[in-house]
Amino acid sequence: MEIYSTEEQQEQAIIGFLQRYWIAFVAVIVIVIAASVGWYLYQDHQDGKSLKASAAFEAIMQSKADNKVVQLQSFINKYPDANSYPYMARMILAKAFVNENKYQQAADALSVVTQKADEPLRSLAMLRLARVQLALKKDKDALATLDGVSGKSYKGSVEALKGDIYVAQGHFGKARDAYQQAIADGNGSDPSLQLKLDNLAGE
């Protein structure tokens, strides 16, 4: 817009501008208002879903029914995007599968958590997935999974599990180093680590 020398000219220019572009101006305002209302409605909807998911998850945790696996699977299907709840449900589901020696199903459940969840749940899921992979005799996969654990609080647990994997592979020197590192990283209060080291004394 050109520069005007008087206030009257500026006023007339503004009026002329609005007359020419008022439809577009109103349209922009309507779009902004609609977007804002839509966002708040979406947020209300998401908050409502989260509250329902929270109540449903708590009900499953309190349930004494024997079909908890079925309940968890149904919950995951119904609330796939309800914050962290579907990931926590998969963690519990994986534990149930391990108790039934269904290691592949447990690995499948944990894999989703490792790919989509945020920290620290992601690192915990990776640690558990590596244990399941070891049970499935997938040693290399288990080591690769452990390399992806980024949570510092799990360093000792990672090294301890690496020691177990190296023992399974017959790499006793690496196992000894891993157990010692696990103790140094904060797992020194675990008496099983020293016992595992003692068992490797003759290897």
Side-chain angles (χ1 to χ4, degrees):
M1 187 180 295
E2 57 185 299
I3 300 175
Y4 296 90
S5 58
T6 67
E7 293 181 3
E8 184 178 359
Q9 286 178 312
Q10 292 176 355
E11 181 180 331
Q12 290 301 319
I14 292 171
I15 292 172
F17 177 82
L18 291 177
Q19 286 176 334
R20 289 195 301 272
Y21 300 107
W22 73 271
I23 294 177
F25 183 70
V26 171
V28 170
I29 293 175
V30 170
I31 290 171
V32 170
I33 292 174
S36 298
V37 171
W39 170 251
Y40 285 118
L41 289 174
Y42 173 77
Q43 285 296 102
D44 287 344
H45 176 67
Q46 291 298 101
D47 291 343
K49 282 180 63 177
S50 294
L51 288 173
K52 290 180 180 178
S54 176
F57 185 78
E58 183 64 23
I60 294 173
M61 294 299 96
Q62 298 296 329
S63 174
K64 303 297 183 182
D66 294 331
N67 65 335
K68 188 163 287 188
V69 168
V70 175
Q71 292 182 53
L72 287 167
Q73 290 172 323
S74 177
F75 175 87
I76 291 167
N77 291 333
K78 188 173 182 179
Y79 301 103
D81 303 312
N83 294 330
S84 297
Y85 292 110
Y87 304 133
M88 290 188 290
R90 281 187 168 89
M91 297 282 283
I92 298 168
L93 186 61
K95 183 177 180 180
F97 282 140
V98 167
N99 290 339
E100 297 175 1
N101 295 322
K102 296 179 179 179
Y103 296 114
Q104 188 55 58
Q105 289 94 321
D108 292 342
L110 290 168
S111 292
V112 175
V113 185
T114 64
Q115 294 167 16
K116 297 184 177 182
D118 296 326
E119 294 293 346
L121 197 57
R122 176 181 172 275
S123 285
L124 179 58
M126 295 189 87
L127 188 62
R128 293 185 180 179
L129 176 59
R131 290 196 183 105
V132 171
Q133 289 169 328
L134 177 58
L136 288 168
K137 301 187 184 305
K138 296 181 178 181
D139 305 345
K140 292 182 179 179
D141 289 344
L143 287 172
T145 298
L146 289 176
D147 286 340
V149 177
S150 58
K152 293 182 179 180
S153 61
Y154 297 114
K155 286 181 64 178
S157 298
V158 166
E159 291 299 325
L161 185 51
K162 280 184 177 181
D164 293 344
I165 296 170
Y166 290 138
V167 168
Q169 293 177 330
H171 299 156
F172 302 118
K174 288 185 176 180
R176 187 180 297 107
D177 292 341
Y179 289 142
Q180 290 173 340
Q181 187 62 52
I183 293 173
D185 285 338
N187 275 23
S189 59
D190 184 355
S192 68
L193 287 176
Q194 188 58 52
L195 181 60
K196 290 176 180 179
L197 277 172
D198 293 342
N199 290 336
L200 289 174
E203 300 295 342

